[in-house]
Amino acid sequence: MDDETLKKYAYVNISSYRVKAVKSLQEGDKTPTQLANDSNIRVNHISKVLKELKDHEVAVCINEEKRKNRIYRLTNVGHEIVDYLD
């Protein structure tokens, strides 16, 4: 793991919400509602977590133009990080 990826891993790992979201996204593309249900986190918190993960290039929205039912997936960095999470 390179230094940049290690920093992103540390950022994800210090938040239980981020860890749960990344682990849930490992299973495949999901909407915020699906993520909230899978990880037992309220949707408003998931929205904040997804923004943070996008800002750190761990996740990406694949249909940004939609107002509702946006779909998120892990980036290559996100897939690399998830292998190291507990």
Side-chain angles (χ1 to χ4, degrees):
M1 185 182 304
D2 64 32
D3 287 348
E4 248 343 274
T5 306
L6 187 59
K7 288 177 189 175
K8 291 175 184 183
Y9 163 77
Y11 178 77
V12 170
N13 200 39
I14 60 171
S15 165
S16 64
Y17 283 4
R18 284 185 223 127
V19 169
K20 287 178 183 180
V22 168
K23 284 183 176 181
S24 181
L25 282 172
Q26 179 186 20
E27 300 166 5
D29 300 350
K30 296 189 178 181
T31 64
T33 302
Q34 290 170 319
L35 276 168
N37 291 337
D38 287 352
S39 54
N40 205 20
I41 300 171
R42 288 190 275 161
V43 175
N44 61 327
H45 292 296
I46 283 293
S47 295
K48 180 179 183 281
V49 167
L50 286 170
K51 182 186 178 328
E52 294 169 350
L53 293 175
K54 276 178 36 184
D55 290 347
H56 284 83
E57 300 171 346
V58 175
V60 64
C61 179
I62 61 173
N63 60 342
E64 196 77 49
E65 72 283 351
K66 288 187 98 176
R67 182 98 173 114
K68 289 189 172 192
N69 293 318
R70 289 184 175 155
I71 299 171
Y72 292 84
R73 72 169 45 137
L74 291 179
T75 61
N76 290 337
V77 171
H79 282 289
E80 188 176 345
I81 287 171
V82 79
D83 292 336
Y84 293 95
L85 296 174
D86 295 333

